[in-house]
């Protein structure tokens, strides 16, 4: 049964779509509508940009301590409403409680990091050869930012899409995922408005999946939108990047990954098994950083695979509202069928199922038992394809060089992990991996609000987080001042 109907948020008010239509927000565990949301149109995008543009000047001029107070209050509200957020993620995207709780905590941290950035220095004094002059580099707001957020970590990535842009004095039009319009859009806007965010500074346009291309195109094409940030699949990210380039707008793109966890010959096997299990199966493997591949030195392979199989078989999977559940359903029946097809293709071509069946389960057809595959070769779709589901592949190698070559044998370049007892050896491997992020003696999934987050190659470009985020969501302006009020000209 539908529990709630929500409209667009434009100019601080909740309003219906211009078309009057709504679209269902489907719960993956039950297959029934979790909510109905407004099916926004390109006309609604224009209304949202109108509101954001009108609010841009006053918001940028607001005293920094007043802006900071809003973000700190929003972080407190999010923490206080964590149980509500956990229930929301379970119902809307099938998120298990550990993952949803982590989302709420990190999202609050991102808000606090954005608050801290507001009162940091916004430029520097430059050297100049002009007598009596001051030369300054100043970071200034870009204006209206288009933010497009995904469903898989809805609180984290929804907040990340808007927090630093807003903190830097920009206004935002947010298009949340069709699979999580509440958790990565409307819920967050409610929190920020309750915290005191002025009307029009953040606007949310939800939409039907069929209308997404037109809505996104209208948002990026609007000349008042000066910058785009997108987190999601590489296929969609390419289209977003092309649209932004056509309109001469910078874009921050955080896209897919085919992330490797490298287990060296001297690794602590029990520690490596725990790392691999977490990195591969947290949020049912639906994290851009998930470990799709575990590359193990042959000296540790037999013990590692045996213990990993036992560990994964013990994981509780099923109902995301059950606190004991570690692996919940994937986001939709369509997603489950895609993951199952990757596994079926691999086993049909000779891969072995170490754990799991690869068959879709559950009344709504969105559940898979965790899967571990071995014997995967390049002719199998899963070798290069991002899994984005509860499955991982174990590869066995005979040397560090072979491990590095295999880890780099992917068009993606987001994150990686290296497990070893020799930190120097781990750092040496990390320097050879072609990724934007590497964790030595940790698995592939990690995020901190103050760290530069992003990838290379088909994993996108630009960085969220910390000073990198400040730079990404501001323009550089050069300002000079003649200290004596006039310059000296030759004629």
């Amino acid at each position: 049964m539908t529990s709630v109907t929500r409209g667009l948020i434009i100019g601080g008010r909740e309003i219906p779509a211009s078309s009057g239509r709504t679209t269902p927000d489907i719960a993956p565990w039950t297959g029934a509508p979790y909510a109905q949301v407004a099916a926004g149109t390109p006309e609604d995008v224009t209304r949202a940009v109108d509101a954001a543009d009108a609010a841009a000047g006053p918001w940028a001029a607001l005293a920094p301590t007043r802006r900071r107070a809003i973000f700190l209050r929003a972080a407190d509200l999010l923490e206080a409403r964590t149980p509500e957020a956990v229930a929301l993620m379970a119902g809307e995207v099938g998120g298990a409680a550990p993952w949803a709780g982590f989302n709420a905590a990190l999202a609050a941290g991102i808000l606090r990091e954005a608050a801290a950035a507001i009162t940091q220095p916004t430029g520097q004094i430059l050297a100049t050869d002009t007598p009596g002059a001051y030369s300054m580099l100043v970071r200034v707001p870009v204006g209206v930012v288009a933010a497009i957020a995904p469903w898989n970590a809805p609180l984290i990535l929804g907040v990340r899409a808007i927090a630093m842009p807003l903190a830097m004095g920009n206004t935002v039009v947010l298009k949340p995922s069709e699979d999580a319009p509440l958790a990565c859009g409307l819920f967050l806007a409610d929190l920020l408005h309750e915290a005191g965010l002025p009307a029009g500074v953040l606007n949310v346009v939800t939409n039907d999946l069929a209308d997404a291309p037109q809505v996104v195109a209208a948002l990026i094409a609007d000349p008042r939108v000066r910058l785009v940030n997108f987190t999601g699949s590489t296929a969609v990210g390419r289209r977003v990047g092309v649209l932004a380039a056509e309109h001469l707008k910078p874009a921050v793109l955080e896209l897919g990954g085919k992330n490797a966890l490298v287990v060296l010959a001297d690794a602590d096997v029990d520690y490596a098994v725990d790392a691999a299990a977490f990195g591969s199966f947290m949020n049912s493997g639906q994290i851009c950083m998930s470990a799709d591949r575990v590359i193990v030195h042959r000296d540790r392979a037999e013990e590692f695979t045996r213990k990993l199989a036992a560990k994964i078989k013990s994981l509780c999977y099923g109902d995301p509202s059950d606190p004991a559940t570690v692996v919940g359903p994937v986001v939709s029946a369509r997603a489950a069928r895609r993951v199952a097809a990757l596994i079926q293709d691999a086993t049909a071509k000779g891969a072995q199922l170490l754990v799991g069946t690869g068959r879709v389960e559950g009344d709504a057809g969105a559940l898979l038992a965790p899967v571990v595959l071995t014997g995967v070769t390049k002719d199998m779709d899963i070798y290069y394809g991002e899994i984005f589901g509860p499955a991982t592949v174990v590869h066995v190698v005979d040397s560090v060089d072979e491990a590095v070559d295999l880890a780099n044998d992917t068009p993606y370049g987001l994150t990686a992990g290296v497990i070893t007892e020799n930190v120097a050896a781990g750092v040496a491997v990390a320097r050879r991996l072609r990724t934007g992020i590497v964790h030595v003696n940790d698995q592939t999934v990690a995020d901190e609000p103050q760290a530069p987050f992003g990838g290379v190659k088909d994993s996108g470009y630009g960085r969220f987080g910390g000073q990198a985020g400040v730079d990404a969501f501001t323009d550089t302006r050069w300002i000079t001042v003649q200290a004596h009020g006039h310059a000296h000209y030759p004629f």
Side-chain angles (χ1 to χ4, degrees):
M1 174 173 289
T2 302
S3 59
V4 66
T5 299
R6 294 295 306 265
L8 314 172
I9 297 180
I10 295 178
R13 297 186 302 118
E14 186 163 338
I15 60 175
S18 58
S19 65
R21 294 186 296 119
T22 62
T23 187
D25 177 17
I26 302 298
W29 180 242
T30 65
Y34 181 77
Q36 294 283 339
V37 298
T41 66
E43 291 74 22
D44 295 317
V45 168
T46 299
R47 291 197 291 171
V49 178
D50 288 343
D53 187 50
W59 174 244
L62 190 66
T65 53
R66 291 183 60 189
R67 272 190 279 140
R68 182 178 63 186
I70 293 168
F71 285 86
L72 294 175
R73 174 65 175 150
D76 291 343
L77 288 170
L78 180 52
E79 285 186 339
R81 294 172 65 176
T82 293
E84 179 185 346
V86 169
L88 172 59
M89 281 186 56
E92 189 176 38
V93 295
W99 174 242
F102 174 74
N103 259 253
L106 182 54
I110 294 170
L111 288 167
R112 292 196 175 102
E113 181 65 22
I118 292 171
T119 50
Q120 292 301 300
T122 57
Q124 61 189 101
I125 301 295
L126 305 175
T128 177
D129 285 334
T130 305
Y134 288 94
S135 179
M136 295 171 284
L137 179 156
V138 180
R139 307 298 307 192
V140 298
V142 301
V144 181
V145 173
I148 305 170
W151 55 266
N152 59 311
L155 301 178
I156 295 170
L157 300 181
V159 167
R160 191 181 73 175
I162 62 177
M164 194 62 81
L166 292 173
M168 291 299 100
N170 305 294
T171 54
V172 174
V173 177
L174 171 64
K175 194 206 86 65
S177 167
E178 299 83 6
D179 288 315
L182 303 184
C184 77
L186 299 169
F187 175 75
L188 300 177
D190 291 345
L191 287 175
L192 281 158
H193 285 124
E194 184 178 344
L197 192 72
V201 174
L202 173 62
N203 307 274
V204 183
V205 178
T206 57
N207 61 278
D208 185 85
L209 180 61
D211 300 327
Q214 294 79 20
V215 168
V216 170
L219 181 57
I220 296 174
D222 193 300
R224 296 166 295 177
V225 171
R226 299 312 314 151
L227 189 147
V228 179
N229 79 75
F230 170 84
T231 301
S233 72
T234 295
V236 177
R238 286 185 194 279
R239 296 199 291 272
V240 169
V242 167
L243 284 170
E246 285 179 352
H247 296 282
L248 293 179
K249 298 175 185 181
V252 177
L253 304 176
E254 198 262 284
L255 310 177
K258 188 68 179 174
N259 312 297
L261 177 63
V262 178
V263 181
L264 299 184
D266 66 344
D268 179 320
V269 170
D270 292 332
Y271 179 81
V273 164
D274 289 345
F278 180 90
S280 300
F281 295 101
M282 172 58 85
N283 194 34
S284 303
Q286 298 174 114
I287 307 174
C288 57
M289 299 171 281
S290 292
D292 271 21
R293 302 173 293 158
V294 185
I295 301 170
V296 187
H297 193 280
R298 194 171 302 279
D299 289 353
R300 290 289 188 266
E302 189 280 328
E303 181 184 3
F304 176 87
T305 52
R306 173 170 46 82
K307 289 183 174 180
L308 180 66
K311 173 92 174 181
I312 303 310
K313 286 176 182 176
S314 73
L315 298 180
C316 180
Y317 75 99
D319 186 349
S321 66
D322 184 342
T325 295
V326 174
V327 178
V330 295
V331 71
S332 66
R334 181 180 70 255
R337 291 192 297 270
R338 183 191 61 78
V339 175
L342 285 173
I343 297 166
Q344 182 180 10
D345 173 78
T347 55
K349 293 174 180 175
Q352 296 81 50
L353 276 168
L354 188 66
V355 180
T357 66
R359 293 193 296 272
V360 176
E361 304 176 24
D363 293 341
L367 183 67
L368 296 101
V371 166
V372 179
L373 285 164
T374 59
V376 168
T377 55
K378 290 186 178 183
D379 62 319
M380 302 171 188
D381 294 340
I382 205 168
Y383 184 90
Y384 286 113
E386 185 179 19
I387 300 172
F388 223 70
T392 195
V393 172
V394 175
H395 295 282
V396 179
V397 295
D398 293 302
S399 69
V400 171
D401 287 345
E402 188 181 353
V404 170
D405 289 345
L406 181 54
N408 286 335
D409 185 19
T410 170
Y412 296 101
L414 184 55
T415 184
V418 184
I419 308 294
T420 176
E421 293 293 285
N422 184 332
V423 172
V427 171
V429 170
R431 292 175 67 89
R432 297 172 63 189
L433 297 175
R434 295 194 291 271
T435 59
I437 304 162
V438 186
H439 304 292
V440 177
N441 281 335
D442 203 353
Q443 41 74 48
T444 57
V445 179
D447 197 359
E448 291 191 72
Q450 70 275 19
F453 190 99
V456 297
K457 302 192 294 183
D458 283 7
S459 292
Y461 48 78
R463 295 293 184 270
F464 292 92
Q467 185 59 45
V470 171
D471 294 344
F473 296 110
T474 54
D475 281 332
T476 300
R477 182 170 297 163
W478 180 36
I479 298 177
T480 66
V481 177
Q482 288 292 134
H484 300 297
H486 62 87
H488 300 284
Y489 305 110
F491 58 87

